[in-house]
Amino acid sequence: MDKFMDAAIQEAEKGLANGGIPIGSVIVHSGEIIGRGHNQRVQKGSCTLHGEMDALENAGRQPASVYQNSILYTTLSPCSMCTGAILLYGIPKVVIGENKTFMGEEELLKSRGVEVVVVDDARCSKLMDDFIAAKPELWNEDIGV
Amino acid sequence: MDKFMDAAIQEAEKGLANGGIPIGSVIVHSGEIIGRGHNQRVQKGSCTLHGEMDALENAGRQPASVYQNSILYTTLSPCSMCTGAILLYGIPKVVIGENKTFMGEEELLKSRGVEVVVVDDARCSKLMDDFIAAKPELWNEDIGV
């Protein structure tokens, strides 16, 4: 297993344990995690801190050269907002846990030259399947439906 | 003049007065401002709180029906991250102060059915022209260059 996807899943599980939406992310630069985070809609009342955004935010202000040599790991296919952040900062590669429960903007990422890898990790799908079944309204709120 | 663009400019000026990047935004629903904000890179060390994102964040958690009947005003053409947030929440109309100092993802917005209005407000351009001349490195950091 990939230790960085494991770390993203740990973030998702941390969010779930605190009553939140179980989506986690880590940003890896030169083989080290420089930012990690999870969806903060419930915990911080935030509509912008999706897992990927929280990881970016927690990585702090970085120069373009860091983003442009980083890999973003996320447990779920990134929505248009998180996709836009990836494009803004020129992150060249995204590793996605699963895209069965939600298909994000993978085609847009690819069309802009971002390498997209979907690992189809059953742990990620189970986290989301269980969560969506338990709290569909919260999930819909998070994806603007 | 449009009082909502005036409010977005006031946000940009507030940011500038605190040493920040002078980009502001407001979100308007049913004729009322429900969220206002400005770029927080300097003030909060944030790489995700662009003006539009800060306005969204300050509007708090809203149901889809609110976003889908709102207008986002921003002093500067929205970058890919802010564009993605607009698309995520289905905000149907964006009013942009200017796009001369930075051309954002206006074509992507239009291709997804978002109404884009550029008012070409000289106050917005001057804020950015002066800022970019004074602090080019900070500006480049903000747009991932």
Side-chain angles (χ1 to χ4, degrees):
Chain A
M1 305 305 284
D2 184 324
K3 67 178 177 180
F4 298 126
M5 184 55 71
D6 290 350
I9 292 171
Q10 285 164 12
E11 283 294 323
E13 290 171 338
K14 198 184 301 180
L16 185 67
N18 290 322
I21 301 175
I23 305 169
S25 177
V26 299
I27 298 166
V28 176
H29 177 71
S30 295
E32 300 288 338
I33 294 175
I34 61 169
R36 61 177 73 216
H38 52 267
N39 188 296
Q40 298 285 356
R41 179 172 295 272
V42 172
Q43 298 92 322
K44 294 187 178 174
S46 173
C47 65
T48 67
L49 290 174
H50 278 188
E52 301 91 322
M53 305 293 285
D54 195 41
L56 275 167
E57 187 70 3
N58 291 334
R61 290 171 56 178
Q62 299 288 343
S65 59
V66 169
Y67 297 118
Q68 290 167 10
N69 289 284
S70 291
I71 303 172
L72 184 143
Y73 289 75
T74 175
T75 57
L76 182 66
S77 187
C79 81
S80 56
M81 174 174 68
C82 300
T83 292
I86 291 161
L87 295 176
L88 170 64
Y89 289 118
I91 297 173
K93 182 174 179 179
V94 178
V95 180
I96 296 170
E98 63 105 356
N99 61 13
K100 289 177 179 166
T101 60
F102 176 80
M103 173 56 86
E105 296 267 9
E106 295 178 18
E107 290 308 316
L108 178 60
L109 286 169
K110 290 180 199 168
S111 76
R112 301 288 180 95
V114 177
E115 183 183 351
V116 174
V117 178
V118 181
V119 297
D120 202 14
D121 189 309
R123 296 172 297 173
C124 299
S125 314
K126 180 165 171 40
L127 278 166
M128 287 306 293
D129 276 337
D130 292 351
F131 166 71
I132 293 171
K135 297 181 179 175
E137 302 83 6
L138 183 54
W139 173 234
N140 286 340
E141 182 191 321
D142 202 55
I143 53 172
V145 175
Chain B
M1 306 304 282
D2 184 323
K3 68 177 178 180
F4 298 127
M5 185 54 72
D6 290 349
I9 292 171
Q10 285 163 12
E11 284 293 322
E13 290 170 339
K14 198 185 300 180
L16 185 68
N18 290 321
I21 301 174
I23 305 169
S25 177
V26 299
I27 298 166
V28 176
H29 178 70
S30 296
E32 300 287 337
I33 294 174
I34 60 169
R36 63 176 72 216
H38 51 267
N39 188 297
Q40 299 284 357
R41 179 171 295 272
V42 173
Q43 298 93 320
K44 295 186 177 174
S46 174
C47 66
T48 68
L49 289 175
H50 278 188
E52 301 91 322
M53 305 294 284
D54 195 41
L56 274 167
E57 187 68 2
N58 291 334
R61 289 170 57 178
Q62 298 287 345
S65 59
V66 169
Y67 298 118
Q68 290 167 9
N69 290 283
S70 290
I71 303 172
L72 184 143
Y73 288 76
T74 176
T75 58
L76 182 66
S77 187
C79 81
S80 56
M81 174 175 66
C82 299
T83 292
I86 291 161
L87 294 176
L88 169 64
Y89 289 118
I91 296 173
K93 183 174 178 178
V94 178
V95 181
I96 296 169
E98 62 105 355
N99 61 14
K100 288 178 180 165
T101 60
F102 176 78
M103 173 56 86
E105 296 267 10
E106 295 178 17
E107 290 307 316
L108 179 59
L109 285 170
K110 290 180 200 169
S111 76
R112 301 288 181 96
V114 177
E115 182 183 351
V116 174
V117 178
V118 181
V119 298
D120 203 13
D121 190 309
R123 297 172 296 173
C124 299
S125 314
K126 180 165 172 39
L127 278 166
M128 286 306 293
D129 277 336
D130 292 351
F131 166 71
I132 294 171
K135 298 182 178 174
E137 302 84 5
L138 183 53
W139 172 233
N140 285 341
E141 183 190 321
D142 203 55
I143 52 172
V145 175

